Amino acid sequence: MNALHNPAHRAWLILLIATGITWYLGEVGAAGTGAIVAMLAIAFVKGRLVILDFMELRGAPLMWRLLLEGWLILVGSLILLAYWMSLK
Amino acid sequence: MSAFRPSSFCLFHDLDSAVQSPPNFAFHSYCKSSYRAAGLAIIRRMTTLDASLPAPPADKRLPGDLAIWVFILAEMLAFAVFFAAYAFARAHDPALFNEYQQTLDRNAGALNTLLLVTGSWFVVRAVQAAHRDAGPAVARNILLGFLCGGGFLVVKVFEYAAKFGAGISLSTNTFYMFYISLTFFHFMHVILGMVILVVLWLQARKGAYTSANAHGLESGAAYWHMVDLLWIILFPLVYVMR
């Protein structure tokens, strides 16, 4: 359990599990608004772990955290908007 | 970032003194003094008297070089446009995208996610090893990260071979045009990331990265993590979301 004190190890474990969940959603043929929101939420959590614990920006100047995390939010929002348009 | 700190320190210092001046002089003296402060900051940098200024707090630090982060942001912006182009093109014809998405190998896509995530994990461990001066572990972890990248390329080549073997090309339909171009653009970035890892590995074997200087390693590592970050969006978007 000591290994989980290292944020990188924790992030890696969560990333593996999250990838498994996305794969499973694909296997069961999850589709529609709920599935899209769930997959985007998982991608956001994963992307944030990479930014904060792999790129090690948790302790970086605020501007750089905002730029990288803002990119995640921007990309996620554009995808959500486009999928919402396709459902209409 | 430390380059900007001395001047911002001076500006805040002068802002304080401007607030304390009589109101009619405040704005004028603020403008004058801020120019003077900027000039002084430049002179301080030129004469390397920075050490006399308060050091930036150790916990607010951007890993690696500023230049690599500017480059990473430019790359991420290009991919953001590409991702949005895919999503909005799909909105015009969801039936076509949903139909042909089913022909993709989701297992290969998920396996590749695991490979890149694990490759990133090895490289962050290399950076951590450099910070605690654990010499051999730095090179070893970079090599393991490189092997994960190699695994990604092998899986992708098999995936492409199956698609091209079935006669699918860029001109087959809009979905395949996006699938091939988007994943191939990313594929090239994996290759560039692996070239960077080779350079880092050669340097690490010479003991170049220590707690005193891991800048080069941190810069290369940041690029490798970006390749991972991009795939984390690309995989659900192109392979799974419908």
Side-chain angles (χ1 to χ4, degrees):
Chain A
M1 285 311 283
N2 263 349
L4 292 183
H5 286 304
N6 187 331
H9 296 355
R10 214 162 42 217
W12 178 64
L13 202 62
I14 298 169
L15 285 164
L16 294 186
I17 296 166
T19 304
I21 296 172
T22 301
W23 171 83
Y24 177 76
L25 288 173
E27 286 303 292
V28 297
T33 314
I36 287 158
V37 171
M39 287 172 206
L40 282 175
I42 292 169
F44 177 76
V45 169
K46 289 171 79 177
R48 207 157 170 270
L49 285 172
V50 171
I51 291 167
L52 297 182
D53 294 327
F54 282 180
M55 290 176 162
E56 298 189 306
L57 290 191
R58 204 178 279 280
L62 185 65
M63 183 188 82
W64 287 97
R65 276 190 62 164
L66 289 179
L67 281 171
L68 277 273
E69 292 183 58
W71 178 87
L72 263 187
I73 293 167
L74 173 73
V75 169
S77 308
L78 287 172
I79 294 171
L80 191 61
L81 175 66
Y83 273 70
W84 174 73
M85 282 166 61
S86 78
L87 286 170
K88 284 208 298 180
Chain B
M1 285 309 289
S2 64
F4 299 109
R5 289 196 183 275
S7 60
S8 62
F9 171 76
C10 291
L11 281 173
F12 282 121
H13 173 77
D14 279 348
L15 194 59
D16 280 344
S17 62
V19 169
Q20 285 155 12
S21 321
N24 50 336
F25 287 114
F27 181 69
H28 181 67
S29 70
Y30 170 63
C31 287
K32 262 175 72 182
S33 60
S34 63
Y35 278 121
R36 198 185 63 223
L40 279 176
I42 291 164
I43 292 164
R44 279 204 193 95
R45 282 199 58 73
M46 288 166 71
T47 53
T48 64
L49 286 173
D50 278 15
S52 63
L53 288 162
D59 56 334
K60 288 281 178 218
R61 193 184 76 91
L62 184 68
D65 292 315
L66 183 63
I68 193 76
W69 288 102
V70 174
F71 182 57
I72 284 172
L73 279 182
E75 295 265 52
M76 287 172 63
L77 209 55
F79 269 95
V81 171
F82 221 155
F83 291 153
Y86 171 92
F88 285 100
R90 182 189 174 278
H92 281 291
D93 197 351
L96 175 107
F97 277 68
N98 286 348
E99 183 186 345
Y100 288 97
Q101 186 186 59
Q102 290 293 76
T103 68
L104 298 189
D105 190 343
R106 252 192 331 265
N107 295 338
L111 175 62
N112 266 346
T113 312
L114 298 181
L115 283 167
L116 283 190
V117 162
T118 306
S120 243
W121 178 58
F122 281 126
V123 169
V124 74
R125 292 178 72 182
V127 173
Q128 291 181 349
H131 285 172
R132 36 165 222 275
D133 291 311
V138 181
R140 188 181 65 236
N141 280 303
I142 294 171
L143 185 64
L144 289 168
F146 176 87
L147 291 175
C148 288
F152 178 96
L153 296 186
V154 169
V155 172
K156 212 90 200 82
V157 164
F158 274 102
E159 217 186 309
Y160 283 143
K163 290 285 171 286
F164 295 147
I168 291 161
S169 72
L170 279 171
S171 54
T172 302
N173 61 39
T174 316
F175 175 77
Y176 284 126
M177 190 274 286
F178 271 108
Y179 161 71
I180 295 170
S181 55
L182 201 44
T183 57
F184 192 71
F185 192 43
H186 181 269
F187 188 87
M188 299 301 283
H189 284 76
V190 177
I191 293 175
L192 178 56
M194 287 173 70
V195 170
I196 291 171
L197 289 185
V198 170
V199 175
L200 294 179
W201 180 69
L202 291 172
Q203 293 292 319
R205 275 165 57 92
K206 288 190 268 178
Y209 307 119
T210 60
S211 57
N213 184 13
H215 249 66
L217 176 61
E218 288 170 353
S219 300
Y223 187 86
W224 186 242
H225 298 315
M226 178 205 74
V227 172
D228 183 19
L229 178 61
L230 294 172
W231 186 260
I232 280 173
I233 303 291
L234 202 160
F235 169 61
L237 178 63
V238 177
Y239 287 73
V240 195
M241 284 174 60
R242 49 195 294 105

